[in-house]
Amino acid sequence: MACLEALRILSRDKKVLAPVTTRENMEILMKKAKLDPEVKTLGDAADFPVVVEALKCLCNIVFNSPIAQKLSLDLNFAAGLCRLLEKCMDGRAVNDIRCFDLRLLFLLTLLHTQIRAQLKQELQGLPLLTKTLESILSVQWAGKYQAVTEVSAPALSVQETDCTIEALKALFNVTLDSWNVHIAQSDAHQFRHLAAILRHILLSRGPSEDKTEELHSNTINLLSNVPVSCLDVLICPSGKEMSANNNEPDMEAIQLILDFMEKRIDKGCSYREGLTPVLSLLTECSRTHRPIRKYIKAEVLPPLRDVSNRPEVGTTVRNKLVRLMTHVDLGVKQIAAEFLFVLCKERVDNLLKYTGYGNAAGLLAARGLLAGGRGERWYSDDEDTDTEEYIKAKPNINLITGHAEEPLPNPMDEMTEEQKEYEAMKLVNMFDKLSREDIIKPMGVKPDGTMAPLEEAVHYTQIAEPDSSDSD
């Protein structure tokens, strides 16, 4: 035990690993960690600390040594780790062993695409890791895809939380690219079962606020890998009575995801890593599941009443998301704009009402919708109802900024025709000079709604115009 503890400390230094990273020494550590195929049981509880220390050593060595990473393939570490997980299903106090087993499995699937494929197919990693996650949390089932969640349930312990997080990270690697793949019925059942467990985790608390956020972050990351058609269990667990007036799906998990998204926005940093996964998840759920879209629309884009401020000014979720539409990070502003566009059923006029043309211009240009219209996806025909306040203010709304402005006097009203012509030519000359010096490039909108150089856009427009001749 003392030797393993010393090795664990030394294995953090990449420079001293050469003597350890031989096949013989790695096989010895495998035996100590119960990864050898000849080891059939976990043994006595007194041996558990040795197993944990050996797994910690292997985690450090594999992380720091390319030679050890290659040996992990040759020695088939993944199969041994899966066998060890199966041995830990007996309900004994083995969470420490499971935690470092899962951590090593995560490292291997991160470092080797071959191990990821092996775990997914040959080793049946998805059912095994799902069962492990279920065992860690001691999930009880009230019905198909419906886990028992008590409102007054105690928070998860530090050990349970850490073990759950490691399982979620390993599952994330195993399920990469699953969301956009056509799945068989048996796989759909497996993913729905997993989604039900993830819903249970969203409704659980960690030992501290930071741990709860980390737990929910990894849960949301994994939900992004689940095929979106299987995410209906987030709101409609089988056999559960509808909430509210018994005619509405249970949106508690969706509300928790929305709250998580707003917290990440309020943090104001690491948007690409921390915010884009949850925005992507909410976008795909809204695109596929109408009840989810309707609920999120009501929460994020409620009917407009006060339009005296610009859409990006304020503290509501809508204001925060509109501000992200002009973020410096291209990925962040694209997913924020896409999310709002989907909530508006991909209708340009509806989006502009909530964001203003200036904030939405980037999305519309990318989608070829600068001339208006709607996206390619079909949505239900239910219409949004404008409030009386909005209808009254609508004539004064500036379409570019998206808010109501007091009517301003027209400076051209007091000009003579000669003065107007002079100012117009002055403006033309300024644009011409900027264009010839390549400071700006005049652009126009083609009939298909995409941007093009002005000369090209005018050419397409002339072709598209019907013959206006009066002759028969």
Side-chain angles (χ1 to χ4, degrees), residues 153-271:
L156 299 175
S157 67
V158 174
Q159 188 185 55
E160 287 173 332
T161 305
D162 289 341
C163 208
T164 300
I165 289 170
E166 295 299 336
L168 292 171
K169 287 157 64 177
L171 273 164
F172 179 85
N173 284 349
V174 173
T175 56
L176 274 174
D177 302 324
S178 297
W179 68 274
N180 61 351
V181 176
H182 179 71
I183 55 173
Q185 187 172 355
S186 58
D187 291 332
H189 164 71
Q190 187 63 53
F191 277 113
R192 279 195 164 87
H193 184 69
L194 173 60
I197 297 174
L198 297 180
R199 181 182 186 276
H200 174 75
I201 297 173
L202 283 174
L203 301 179
S204 303
R205 294 177 294 111
S208 66
E209 189 174 336
D210 288 343
K211 276 292 181 184
T212 300
E213 183 176 348
E214 185 182 358
L215 180 68
H216 288 175
S217 176
N218 282 282
T219 304
I220 288 168
N221 288 345
L222 180 53
L223 278 170
S224 300
N225 284 354
V226 175
V228 70
S229 60
C230 299
L231 294 178
D232 51 353
V233 299
L234 290 178
I235 60 169
C236 299
S238 177
K240 184 171 181 176
E241 292 185 5
M242 294 300 184
S243 61
N245 297 321
N246 291 330
N247 59 1
E248 292 292 332
D250 184 353
M251 293 291 178
E252 188 175 3
I254 300 299
Q255 184 59 55
L256 282 166
I257 297 173
L258 279 172
D259 293 341
F260 179 88
M261 175 198 73
E262 188 171 5
K263 285 180 183 176
R264 283 295 168 95
I265 295 175
D266 291 342
K267 274 193 170 182
C269 61
S270 302
Y271 280 155

Side-chain angles (χ1 to χ4, degrees), residues 131-385:
K131 187 178 178 183
T132 300
L133 191 60
E134 190 176 343
S135 173
I136 294 167
L137 297 166
S138 303
V139 178
Q140 302 296 319
W141 296 97
K144 191 178 182 182
Y145 310 138
Q146 181 192 352
V148 176
T149 304
E150 298 178 6
V151 178
S152 58
L156 299 175
S157 67
V158 174
Q159 188 185 55
E160 287 173 332
T161 305
D162 289 341
C163 208
T164 300
I165 289 170
E166 295 299 336
L168 292 171
K169 287 157 64 177
L171 273 164
F172 179 85
N173 284 349
V174 173
T175 56
L176 274 174
D177 302 324
S178 297
W179 68 274
N180 61 351
V181 176
H182 179 71
I183 55 173
Q185 187 172 355
S186 58
D187 291 332
H189 164 71
Q190 187 63 53
F191 277 113
R192 279 195 164 87
H193 184 69
L194 173 60
I197 297 174
L198 297 180
R199 181 182 186 276
H200 174 75
I201 297 173
L202 283 174
L203 301 179
S204 303
R205 294 177 294 111
S208 66
E209 189 174 336
D210 288 343
K211 276 292 181 184
T212 300
E213 183 176 348
E214 185 182 358
L215 180 68
H216 288 175
S217 176
N218 282 282
T219 304
I220 288 168
N221 288 345
L222 180 53
L223 278 170
S224 300
N225 284 354
V226 175
V228 70
S229 60
C230 299
L231 294 178
D232 51 353
V233 299
L234 290 178
I235 60 169
C236 299
S238 177
K240 184 171 181 176
E241 292 185 5
M242 294 300 184
S243 61
N245 297 321
N246 291 330
N247 59 1
E248 292 292 332
D250 184 353
M251 293 291 178
E252 188 175 3
I254 300 299
Q255 184 59 55
L256 282 166
I257 297 173
L258 279 172
D259 293 341
F260 179 88
M261 175 198 73
E262 188 171 5
K263 285 180 183 176
R264 283 295 168 95
I265 295 175
D266 291 342
K267 274 193 170 182
C269 61
S270 302
Y271 280 155
R272 180 173 283 274
E273 298 81 12
L275 183 60
T276 52
V278 64
L279 277 176
S280 178
L281 173 64
L282 290 171
T283 301
E284 293 306 318
C285 284
S286 300
R287 184 177 274 127
T288 305
H289 301 289
R290 180 172 176 266
I292 293 179
R293 177 179 56 76
K294 288 188 69 177
Y295 178 81
I296 296 176
K297 171 77 181 295
E299 294 294 314
V300 175
L301 299 177
L304 290 173
R305 298 185 184 278
D306 182 9
V307 288
S308 59
N309 293 320
R310 291 174 181 249
E312 66 270 22
V313 176
T315 58
T316 66
V317 182
R318 168 190 163 229
N319 302 142
K320 296 171 184 178
L321 287 167
V322 172
R323 284 197 289 273
L324 290 178
M325 293 176 75
T326 53
H327 195 270
V328 293
D329 189 306
L330 182 61
V332 172
K333 73 176 184 180
Q334 283 179 338
I335 190 60
E338 185 75 13
F339 176 47
L340 293 175
F341 194 44
V342 169
L343 293 184
C344 294
K345 294 181 283 190
E346 300 192 23
R347 288 178 48 183
V348 173
D349 57 343
N350 207 357
L351 178 69
L352 297 182
K353 181 172 75 173
Y354 287 100
T355 68
Y357 195 92
N359 291 312
L363 172 76
L364 301 182
R367 287 290 204 100
L369 293 171
L370 285 168
R374 62 189 306 166
E376 297 177 356
R377 192 176 182 88
W378 181 88
Y379 292 86
S380 59
D381 291 331
D382 51 301
E383 295 293 332
D384 297 312
T385 304

Side-chain angles (χ1 to χ4, degrees), residues 108-123:
L108 293 174
T109 52
L110 185 66
L111 295 166
H112 298 294
T113 54
Q114 305 98 305
I115 291 181
R116 196 182 304 159
Q118 179 192 15
L119 187 60
K120 193 172 185 178
Q121 298 164 11
E122 177 190 335
L123 299 175

